[in-house]
């Protein structure tokens, strides 16, 4: 894999600064716990985990990694303890940040950790104390509500378990000496009366829901920024070379003259500068590059981007590609750079037996993606979880399209409960409002990654009302307004109300993709929208105990798998049969993409391409390569160019532009 030079440099810097990170001499000693299952990377983690710079689309050269051994203590008194934080006190246990408190790698491996305290000490390089600089404290993600104290004062709060947040702590840190960092976390998971976006996390896991992840689970770091600093880069680069960028900035900080920025763009694989211009901050600015090398799964070309605003400089990257939809052979299709590309890949849940939500290492995380790419898949559906920025950077660089789910709320009619027998989902207005706030935050945080092709709002009715179509239409319009450059899959699976660009069916084990026959809750295929198989397959293969999540309750539920094959030969036979059926539907009907369940086993689920410990690859790789290429061939034979010829040609061409197309207008009309 090709890594930009600035990524390599920042990664090395992170490793160097992490090794000098201060910890309390009198603090408790960290010990790796023995969990139900490990991986080959578990014992490689050590006590300076994840040294890589964590936010590749907004990177600064002066930074300090705060990952490592911190102090931990359960806040048994609950939220009332916020009135008396444990300032200048040694906490009772050692925890390895950034790993979920329930994980073996954290050193805690606890349960029902609703309220928690973290504590550590840090110092700040003297060179960062300058009138033209600010000191930022960054958290990759903390589940779920967070209060942060620096040197005895509240630095800020955050709500949402999947999102990066930054705090300006310039006025709180000591210019000479040690600083104390205290973090309080509240994670209700699915306790009675709560309904938060949490994906597959459950306090009492079942066959399709897993061990929760509480507390700090992504990198914590300090960085030095300019006096007025860049808070976010929104970058949309099209295949025609147009580059639309918005440089968001912090408050004035006493320097109102800083309003313009300088931008430099150059290809990662070529000499010379492709663009060098000036623009105005906090407003969309349009530039143009001549004849860019476009991004696609076959050629994942990327361009480095440097933005300078006053005394602040950040580096980023982008890929030039255009996502749209059009009509090919009378069928609505998703288009990449003006051509129909069949999207095919696994359901990717991103769970790890040693770190749960947190992969043990960057190498481990990327190994899953490489296994997917090796057999020819060009897509993953990131299933009701949001990953660290480095995951999406890996997809950008490897050329893997991402169908990105919004993490679901737990109140859905499965398992069936008396309160849900009428099909209604009992979500309070306040809970719905929070879901929508976090939905918008997901789009804003991830929308500059070129690999992301589609946003998924709801999965299988979880947190969605079965009968209320107006909410589906409204949320589709919300996402479209935040990001008019991508397609939207409003409902993957059940309770389709006609909103969004896809009609998405889930059907196990064999597919029903864009067909005139159907089953389950998806209803008859809507031929006016793109036909998509949001989930199918799920064929399982039980393995020996050394590759299983060794929890009796999980093992007892293995037989709930859709199908079980006794041998790897039988498993490959059955899965390849589902592929053959899918290919026939691509050839005959309106199937434009499909998601096979799933990349890896997870706890009691044994239907992965890889086992949960990643030590067994079930795929007959060479045969899978042929089957997957055959799927793309079938799609190509249905035509790749929109009716009437190339974009801009005459004749029967019908090209929809996401954001101003006919379905979008219909959504607005349905809103009334």
């Amino acid at each position: 894999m090709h890594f930009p030079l600035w990524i390599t440099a920042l990664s090395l810097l992170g490793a160097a600064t992490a090794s000098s990170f201060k910890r309390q001499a009198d603090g408790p000693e960290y010990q790796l716990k023995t969990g139900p299952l490990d991986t080959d990377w578990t014992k490689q983690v050590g006590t300076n985990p994840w040294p890589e710079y964590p936010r590749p689309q907004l990177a600064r050269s002066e930074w300090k990694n705060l990952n490592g051994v911190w102090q931990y203590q359960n806040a048994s008194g609950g939220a009332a303890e916020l009135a008396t934080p444990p300032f200048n006190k040694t906490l009772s246990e050692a925890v390895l940040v950034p790993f979920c408190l329930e994980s073996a790698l954290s050193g805690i491996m606890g349960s029902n950790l609703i309220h928690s305290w973290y504590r550590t000490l840090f110092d700040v390089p003297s060179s960062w104390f300058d009138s033209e600089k600010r000191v930022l404290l960054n958290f990759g993600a903390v589940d779920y509500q967070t209060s942060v104290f620096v040197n005895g004062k509240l630095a800020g709060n955050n709500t949402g378990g999947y999102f990066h947040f930054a705090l300006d702590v310039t006025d709180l840190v000591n210019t000479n000496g040690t600083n104390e960092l205290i973090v309080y976390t509240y994670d209700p998971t699915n306790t009675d009366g709560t309904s938060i976006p949490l994906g597959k996390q459950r306090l009492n896991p079942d066959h399709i829901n897993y061990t929760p992840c509480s507390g700090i689970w992504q990198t914590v770091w300090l960085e030095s920024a300019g006096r007025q600093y860049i808070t976010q880069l929104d970058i949309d680069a099209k295949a025609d070379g147009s580059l639309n960028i918005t440089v968001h900035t912090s408050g004035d900080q006493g320097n109102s003259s800083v309003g313009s920025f300088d931008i430099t763009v150059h290809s990662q694989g070529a000499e010379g500068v492709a663009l060098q211009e000036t623009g105005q901050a906090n407003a969309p600015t349009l530039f143009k590059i001549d004849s860019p090398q476009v991004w696609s799964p076959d050629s994942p070309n990327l361009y480095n981007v440097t933005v300078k605003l006053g005394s602040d400089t950040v580096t980023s990257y982008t890929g030039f590609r255009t996502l749209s939809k059009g009509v090919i052979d009378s069928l609505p299709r998703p288009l990449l750079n003006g051509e129909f590309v069949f999207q095919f890949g696994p359901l990717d849940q991103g769970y790890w037996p040693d770190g749960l939500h947190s992969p043990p290492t960057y190498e481990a995380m990327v190994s899953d993606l490489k296994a997917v790419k090796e057999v020819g898949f060009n897509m993953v559906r990131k299933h009701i979880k949001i990953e660290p920025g480095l995951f999406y950077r890996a997809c950008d660089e490897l050329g893997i399209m991402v169908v990105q789910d919004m993490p679901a709320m737990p109140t859905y009619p499965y398992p069936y409960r008396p309160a849900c027998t009428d099909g209604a989902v009992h979500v309070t207005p306040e809970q719905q409002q929070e879901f929508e706030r976090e939905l918008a935050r997901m789009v804003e945080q991830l929308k500059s990654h070129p690999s992301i092709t589609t946003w998924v709002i709801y999965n299988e009715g979880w947190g969605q009302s079965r009968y209320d179509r107006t909410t589906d239409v409204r949320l589709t319009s919300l996402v479209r307004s935040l990001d008019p450059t991508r397609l939207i899959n409003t409902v993957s699976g059940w309770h389709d109300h006609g909103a969004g660009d896809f009609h998405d069916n889930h059907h196990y084990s064999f597919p029903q993709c864009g067909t005139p026959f159907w089953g389950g809750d998806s209803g008859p295929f809507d031929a006016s929208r793109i036909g998509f198989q949001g989930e199918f397959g799920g064929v399982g293969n039980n393995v020996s105990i050394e590759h299983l999540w060794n929890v009796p309750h999980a093992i007892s539920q293995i037989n709930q798998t859709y199908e079980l094959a006794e041998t790897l030969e039988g498993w490959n036979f059955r899965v390849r049969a589902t592929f053959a059926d899918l290919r026939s539907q691509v050839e005959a009907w309106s199937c434009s993409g499909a998601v096979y369940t799933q990349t890896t086993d997870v706890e009691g689920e044994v239907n992965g391409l890889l086992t949960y410990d990643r030590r067994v690859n079930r795929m007959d790789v060479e045969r899978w390569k042929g089957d997957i290429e055959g799927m793309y061939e079938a799609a190509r034979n249905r035509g790749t160019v929109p009716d009437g010829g190339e974009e801009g040609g005459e004749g029967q061409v019908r090209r929809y532009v996401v954001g101003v197309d006919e379905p979008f207008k219909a959504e607005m009309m349905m809103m009334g």
Side-chain angles (χ1 to χ4, degrees):
M1 184 191 305
H2 172 74
F3 292 99
L5 291 177
W6 64 267
I7 287 291
T8 303
L10 289 176
S11 296
L12 291 174
L13 177 60
T17 56
S19 64
S20 61
F21 171 50
K22 282 190 175 181
R23 300 186 188 91
Q24 299 89 327
D26 60 345
E29 182 180 354
Y30 164 77
Q31 289 189 337
L32 170 67
K33 292 292 175 64
T34 300
L37 185 66
D38 67 1
T39 71
D40 287 341
W41 297 277
T42 306
K43 294 182 179 178
Q44 298 177 16
V45 172
T47 55
N48 290 315
W50 282 90
E52 298 83 5
Y53 187 87
R55 195 185 54 203
Q57 286 199 318
L58 186 67
R60 291 187 171 90
S61 60
E62 290 187 291
W63 73 289
K64 184 171 185 176
N65 196 323
L66 298 188
N67 292 343
V69 179
W70 292 28
Q71 296 176 10
Y72 171 79
Q73 191 165 290
N74 183 255
S76 57
E81 290 195 14
L82 269 171
T84 56
F87 298 137
N88 301 309
K89 296 179 181 178
T90 300
L91 304 187
S92 59
E93 298 181 75
V95 62
L96 186 64
V97 170
F99 293 104
C100 310
L101 292 172
E102 294 82 356
S103 72
L105 277 169
S106 74
I108 303 298
M109 207 167 73
S111 59
N112 296 301
L113 302 177
I114 309 300
H115 303 271
S116 297
W117 286 111
Y118 290 80
R119 179 179 183 263
T120 193
L121 303 178
F122 66 92
D123 54 22
V124 179
S126 59
S127 61
W128 292 13
F129 294 106
D130 184 295
S131 61
E132 292 302 314
K133 293 182 177 181
R134 306 296 293 177
V135 179
L136 306 182
L137 173 62
N138 296 272
F139 292 82
V142 184
D143 198 356
Y144 171 70
Q145 289 183 340
T146 311
S147 296
V148 180
F149 301 87
V150 175
N151 293 329
K153 296 182 179 180
L154 179 66
N157 303 290
N158 181 73
T159 297
Y162 298 90
F163 306 104
H164 163 264
F165 62 98
L167 303 172
D168 187 336
V169 296
T170 309
D171 300 328
L172 300 179
V173 295
N174 297 320
T175 58
N176 185 16
T178 299
N179 299 274
E180 182 184 50
L181 172 60
I182 301 284
V183 178
Y184 167 83
T185 67
Y186 164 65
D187 184 17
T189 311
N190 63 317
T191 52
D192 288 344
T194 65
S195 186
I196 63 173
L198 49 66
K200 288 292 192 79
Q201 302 177 68
R202 298 296 183 272
L203 292 173
N204 296 301
D206 56 52
H207 186 57
I208 66 166
N209 297 294
Y210 320 126
T211 304
C213 172
S214 301
I216 301 170
W217 68 278
Q218 291 185 29
T219 292
V220 185
W221 77 102
L222 290 167
E223 62 188 357
S224 177
R227 185 171 183 173
Q228 182 182 6
Y229 55 90
I230 299 167
T231 58
Q232 181 172 315
L233 294 179
D234 295 340
I235 305 176
D236 173 37
K238 293 287 198 298
D240 65 358
S242 61
L243 177 67
N244 193 331
I245 182 169
T246 302
V247 178
H248 300 272
T249 69
S250 63
D252 173 30
Q253 301 293 354
N255 193 359
S256 59
S257 63
V258 178
S260 63
F261 65 87
D262 297 322
I263 181 172
T264 303
V265 179
H266 64 274
S267 172
Q268 292 183 3
E271 297 283 339
V273 174
L275 176 76
Q276 195 163 24
E277 294 285 352
T278 299
Q280 192 67 26
N282 298 307
T285 307
L286 185 63
F287 302 106
K288 188 69 180 289
I289 289 177
D290 294 330
S291 304
Q293 296 179 313
V294 298
W295 186 96
S296 73
D298 293 331
S299 300
N301 299 300
L302 297 174
Y303 285 72
N304 288 336
V305 177
T306 301
V307 177
K308 189 176 189 303
L309 177 91
S311 58
D312 196 35
T313 299
V314 298
T315 52
S316 188
Y317 69 91
T318 191
F320 288 84
R321 86 287 180 270
T322 299
L323 300 163
S324 58
K325 56 186 175 182
V327 175
I328 298 175
D329 192 22
S330 302
L331 300 175
R333 299 292 198 185
L335 305 180
L336 175 64
N337 302 327
E339 294 192 352
F340 168 40
V341 176
F342 188 85
Q343 299 184 26
F344 192 31
L347 193 77
D348 194 79
Q349 305 217 54
Y351 268 79
W352 296 81
D354 44 14
L356 301 177
H357 270 192
S358 314
T361 67
Y362 178 80
E363 178 191 12
M365 180 181 71
V366 175
S367 72
D368 278 3
L369 296 172
K370 287 181 176 179
V372 166
K373 188 75 175 180
E374 180 187 14
V375 294
F377 285 125
N378 63 10
M379 173 267 283
V380 295
R381 178 183 169 199
K382 178 42 62 181
H383 191 41
I384 53 179
K385 182 193 176 194
I386 299 170
E387 295 285 3
L390 290 170
F391 173 89
Y392 300 98
R393 187 197 76 183
C395 292
D396 296 335
E397 293 184 325
L398 287 169
I400 298 176
M401 295 182 286
V402 178
V403 174
Q404 177 64 51
D405 289 12
M406 171 63 191
M409 291 187 286
T411 39
Y412 54 90
Y414 177 89
Y416 293 99
R417 291 176 287 197
C420 295
T421 54
D422 60 354
V425 174
H426 301 282
V427 177
T428 68
E430 292 77 16
Q431 291 166 346
Q432 180 66 27
Q433 183 179 18
E434 179 59 26
F435 174 81
E436 295 178 19
R437 187 188 71 87
E438 294 187 33
L439 170 66
R441 196 170 174 185
M442 176 187 75
V443 174
E444 291 288 357
Q445 179 168 303
L446 300 179
K447 67 181 180 182
S448 294
H449 285 282
S451 58
I452 297 177
T453 64
T454 306
W455 302 114
V456 178
I457 300 175
Y458 285 119
N459 175 75
E460 292 188 348
W462 302 356
Q464 174 204 15
S465 174
R466 177 174 295 189
Y467 303 115
D468 176 19
R469 67 182 302 183
T470 60
T471 297
D472 290 6
V473 171
R474 180 171 54 80
L475 293 189
T476 303
S477 297
L478 169 65
V479 173
R480 192 90 75 191
S481 68
L482 296 171
D483 179 16
T485 72
R486 288 182 176 84
L487 304 182
I488 301 172
N489 189 344
T490 305
V491 178
S492 184
W494 309 342
H495 316 327
D496 184 85
H497 296 140
D501 302 305
F502 296 85
H503 188 272
D504 180 332
N505 177 48
H506 291 188
H507 196 264
Y508 288 98
S509 297
F510 284 79
Q512 292 181 352
C513 183
T515 65
F517 48 88
W518 67 90
D521 293 283
S522 298
F525 174 58
D526 177 0
S528 69
R529 290 183 291 155
I530 297 167
F532 195 75
Q533 187 70 58
E535 294 179 26
F536 80 107
V539 179
N541 165 243
N542 204 350
V543 288
S544 55
I545 190 64
E546 61 263 30
H547 300 299
L548 288 174
W549 181 248
N550 194 1
V551 173
H553 181 66
I555 292 173
S556 71
Q557 295 180 330
I558 286 174
N559 62 1
Q560 295 182 23
T561 305
Y562 302 104
E563 290 187 27
L564 278 171
E566 290 187 8
T567 65
L568 285 179
E569 182 182 20
W571 181 84
N572 275 277
F573 179 90
R574 289 301 289 164
V575 175
R576 295 181 67 221
T578 69
F579 283 7
D581 204 13
L582 180 67
R583 177 170 177 169
S584 71
Q585 293 172 20
V586 174
E587 293 170 338
W589 309 111
S590 301
C591 187
S592 293
V595 178
Y596 181 84
T597 301
Q598 58 187 334
T599 303
T600 73
D601 296 352
V602 185
E603 299 195 4
E605 295 185 358
V606 293
N607 51 6
L609 311 178
L610 311 173
T611 53
Y612 197 20
D613 61 3
R614 276 73 168 175
R615 291 186 174 107
V616 177
N617 184 335
R618 292 188 173 98
M619 296 178 286
D620 185 334
V621 171
E622 293 307 314
R623 290 187 177 184
W624 277 56
K625 286 180 180 178
D627 292 344
I628 292 170
E629 177 54 36
M631 210 77 67
Y632 302 141
E633 180 184 11
R636 287 192 295 268
N637 289 339
R638 297 298 304 273
T640 58
V641 179
D643 294 351
E646 298 286 352
E647 183 175 7
E650 298 179 356
Q652 299 297 315
V653 66
R654 288 172 57 199
R655 175 170 294 277
Y656 302 126
V657 179
V658 177
V660 294
D661 60 7
E662 293 171 7
F664 178 65
K665 292 177 182 177
E667 291 161 13
M668 297 300 290
M669 291 176 65
M670 282 192 288
M671 289 178 66

